[in-house]
Amino acid sequence: MRVERKISLKAKEKELIRLDRELARIRDEIRSLPLMELKKPIFHSYGLVWALKLQSSKYREAYLYIIDTYSKIKRVNNIRKVQKMEPEQIVLDKNQFRQLLDKFPDSIRWFLKRKNKIRVTEYAFNKVDILEKKIVKVMITHRKDINPNLESRKQEIEDIIYTNRDNSGKLDHLFGNRYEYGSDSYKIKLKTIELVNPIQIEF
């Protein structure tokens, strides 16, 4: 009985690995599908972004570069709650920070070095007093071509792997992955929605 159970477990592990590889291949195929240009940009959603509050400063060029290059759009689902929300904090990784210092050496004074939840060094922009939040319209200029067969199979495999914690945990164990539930890395692991690109922002 034990031998049969062990064989059965081995078969399940092999099947999960096969499904994980198939899922990776399907995601690559979906990402490689061409973008179709729309006749004109169409509204996608509202977003919350940082804008520079200062009208004049000797560092204005550097501040604008940081905002334009490294700030991210926070999607706004409920426009009525936007007054209680803040845009995403401007955070750089080590390589981004080095590149910024090469361009603007003075920016070393505007960032706070810290460790994130998964103990990776990052640099947070801490001159929030020069920033103000703005609501923007996120417009789509292209739409990803869709293959219904690929999308259907992708969803099927994701349901098998990610909605069953036993299967997800078994795969993590096989690949040596370690996650804290609720951590940024775990949320990224569960994220299965493909981003729509490119986009255009209207102030």
Side-chain angles (χ1 to χ4, degrees):
M1 194 68 159
R2 280 186 180 178
V3 174
E4 289 179 4
R5 186 170 180 274
K6 191 172 183 180
I7 292 172
S8 177
L9 285 173
K10 287 291 183 184
K12 185 174 183 179
E13 289 174 357
K14 287 180 180 179
E15 177 63 11
L16 284 173
I17 292 171
R18 186 192 68 76
L19 287 173
D20 186 72
R21 288 174 178 167
E22 184 183 353
L23 179 60
R25 178 182 57 77
I26 290 173
R27 284 174 171 168
D28 285 342
E29 287 185 41
I30 289 174
R31 277 193 289 270
S32 66
L33 289 172
L35 290 172
M36 301 170 60
E37 186 172 2
L38 302 172
K39 291 182 179 178
K40 62 178 182 179
I42 61 173
F43 176 75
H44 177 260
S45 64
Y46 287 102
L48 197 57
V49 297
W50 289 118
L52 187 63
K53 193 180 347 181
L54 298 175
Q55 294 301 315
S56 63
S57 168
K58 68 176 182 178
Y59 299 120
R60 192 169 188 275
E61 181 187 353
Y63 294 150
L64 287 173
Y65 178 84
I66 290 168
I67 293 170
D68 293 342
T69 307
Y70 302 112
S71 63
K72 297 177 182 177
I73 302 170
K74 175 180 275 189
R75 297 289 192 266
V76 179
N77 295 323
N78 189 333
I79 196 70
R80 289 174 296 182
K81 294 183 179 180
V82 74
Q83 297 303 328
K84 301 177 183 177
M85 300 169 62
E86 290 291 327
E88 299 284 350
Q89 188 174 19
I90 299 175
V91 178
L92 281 60
D93 62 29
K94 284 184 178 180
N95 289 333
Q96 291 171 328
F97 190 59
R98 288 194 196 101
Q99 291 170 5
L100 178 63
L101 291 182
D102 288 342
K103 191 173 181 66
F104 300 105
D106 287 323
S107 60
I108 193 171
R109 298 181 284 119
W110 310 331
F111 285 82
L112 179 67
K113 184 179 179 181
R114 67 185 188 189
K115 297 278 188 182
N116 62 19
K117 291 181 180 179
I118 55 175
R119 307 302 298 164
V120 174
T121 300
E122 62 184 17
Y123 300 84
F125 188 64
N126 65 352
K127 288 187 67 68
V128 292
D129 56 310
I130 67 168
L131 303 176
E132 61 182 352
K133 63 182 182 181
K134 288 204 172 182
I135 303 171
V136 296
K137 286 183 178 180
V138 180
M139 313 293 287
I140 300 175
T141 60
H142 293 67
R143 192 182 292 279
K144 175 75 77 173
D145 194 11
I146 296 175
N147 183 319
N149 293 330
L150 289 177
E151 294 290 344
S152 175
R153 182 57 179 159
K154 172 175 167 282
Q155 186 62 56
E156 183 182 344
I157 297 174
E158 287 173 345
D159 286 344
I160 293 171
I161 294 176
Y162 296 127
T163 60
N164 185 318
R165 192 168 280 187
D166 287 340
N167 289 343
S168 180
K170 192 177 288 294
L171 264 180
D172 286 339
H173 178 72
L174 290 169
F175 294 139
N177 298 328
R178 295 290 182 269
Y179 298 100
E180 289 181 19
Y181 293 107
S183 69
D184 289 343
S185 56
Y186 184 65
K187 289 174 185 174
I188 292 170
K189 171 177 174 286
L190 294 181
K191 186 175 180 181
T192 57
I193 299 173
E194 300 291 335
L195 296 177
V196 180
N197 283 303
I199 60 175
Q200 174 181 315
I201 299 174
E202 286 189 1
F203 284 87

